[in-house]
Amino acid sequence: MKKRVLVFAVLMLFAMGSAVYAGQFGPPEPAAKEGKASLGVGYFYYSAKYKPKDTVNFREFKGAQNQAYLQLGYGLAKNWEAYLRVGAADDKAAPGFETTDRSGIKSDFKDGYKPFGTIGVKGVFNISNSFGIGPFFQASLYSSYEDSTSGRVSTGSSETQTVKVKNPKEINLGIGLQGKIGETIIYGGPVAYWVKNKTEWAGKLGAGTVYTATGTNTYVVSTTYKEKNNIGGFAGIRIPLSKSLNLEVEGQLKSRFSMGGALTYAF
């Protein structure tokens, strides 16, 4: 049975790695023992729906990120761990640009991998040898992203659009429940989350044409985007590959479904 679970988890991890904010939370039980460290490497595919504060100039969109990272954990006390995660993530949005009455303008926003950082803390209170519960806190800060596209408006004038997504931020706060089958841990629970960024759209028309809103050939507007809803859930499994090496696979359901996996070595 354990072998079948391991094979299934490994297949999911490799499938997600070939797919196209946040990162996984893991079980309440820390990977690092008290006074010792753990080192992990992971991948997470994050997908979400976002809504703007300014609903006149901006629309809701679906966003996605591929995140690859390294994580260093430290056992603060018995059953408590703090961790630092550093990595790189890209950014995608659909739709990302205004295409109405335009030709040659692409629809989707896309920018490549840039650095991000995450800090977190979690712990577990063991109710019995096979069941535990514990809180966690995780916060992430991402780089700014930018993309441009060019085409023509209905009058025939050229137009260049530029979208900037400035330092997306995310906070997660939740409760994890875990059950043990031997050394394998199955876990899950609710999570409250807050995700937002400031987005700027800038348009520039060719000579001889002006935007009605400004009376000039340039137009710049900005707004704050937030991920839809604030309550979600997560579930996952931690499988020991050896005494010190563990495989974790986790899924999250917030505004959309996200999934990831990690390998963690405890010293």
Side-chain angles (χ1 to χ4, degrees):
M1 177 65 180
K2 180 178 178 180
K3 184 177 180 180
R4 290 181 181 178
V5 172
L6 174 59
V7 171
F8 178 65
V10 171
L11 287 174
M12 284 200 295
L13 178 59
F14 278 95
M16 289 179 297
S18 63
V20 162
Y21 291 10
Q24 64 191 66
F25 307 129
E29 183 169 310
K33 303 298 182 182
E34 181 180 2
K36 295 186 177 181
S38 66
L39 184 64
V41 57
Y43 167 83
F44 198 81
Y45 178 75
Y46 186 66
S47 182
K49 294 179 181 179
Y50 295 89
K51 59 181 181 180
K53 183 176 181 180
D54 176 0
T55 57
V56 175
N57 295 300
F58 294 87
R59 295 172 290 175
E60 292 187 2
F61 70 88
K62 295 178 182 179
Q65 276 192 329
N66 293 282
Q67 303 175 0
Y69 61 86
L70 292 173
Q71 177 173 306
L72 177 64
Y74 180 76
L76 297 173
K78 184 178 181 180
N79 296 328
W80 285 89
E81 178 184 37
Y83 55 89
L84 171 67
R85 186 178 295 171
V86 292
D90 61 358
D91 196 28
K92 303 174 184 179
F97 296 96
E98 180 56 56
T99 59
T100 305
D101 297 326
R102 290 164 168 86
S103 61
I105 299 290
K106 68 176 183 178
S107 174
D108 295 351
F109 172 98
K110 182 179 181 180
D111 199 1
Y113 284 87
K114 295 183 178 181
F116 78 92
T118 298
I119 57 172
V121 62
K122 64 180 179 179
V124 63
F125 300 98
N126 290 311
I127 309 302
S128 68
N129 290 333
S130 59
F131 178 75
I133 183 172
F136 68 87
F137 170 83
Q138 183 171 293
S140 299
L141 177 63
Y142 298 86
S143 297
S144 296
Y145 296 92
E146 181 176 336
D147 193 12
S148 298
T149 183
S150 297
R152 293 190 177 277
V153 296
S154 58
T155 60
S157 177
S158 63
E159 181 188 52
T160 298
Q161 296 182 24
T162 300
V163 172
K164 298 180 181 179
V165 180
K166 300 181 179 180
N167 295 120
K169 304 174 182 64
E170 177 177 9
I171 294 176
N172 295 275
L173 182 64
I175 297 290
L177 295 88
Q178 68 175 42
K180 284 188 174 182
I181 305 174
E183 295 301 316
T184 298
I185 300 176
I186 299 174
Y187 64 92
V191 60
Y193 60 93
W194 297 267
V195 182
K196 71 175 184 177
N197 67 69
K198 184 176 181 180
T199 297
E200 179 183 281
W201 180 94
K204 184 174 183 179
L205 295 171
T209 307
V210 298
Y211 289 105
T212 303
T214 64
T216 67
N217 71 331
T218 59
Y219 188 23
V220 180
V221 287
S222 63
T223 191
T224 298
Y225 269 98
K226 294 182 179 180
E227 184 172 352
K228 297 186 72 173
N229 309 322
N230 291 110
I231 301 295
F234 66 99
I237 185 171
R238 175 190 283 174
I239 302 169
L241 303 181
S242 70
K243 183 178 180 180
S244 301
L245 184 65
N246 293 300
L247 169 66
E248 294 179 8
V249 178
E250 179 178 307
Q252 298 177 6
L253 183 59
K254 295 180 178 179
S255 58
R256 298 191 76 191
F257 182 73
S258 305
M259 201 168 188
L263 289 170
T264 304
Y265 185 85
F267 293 94

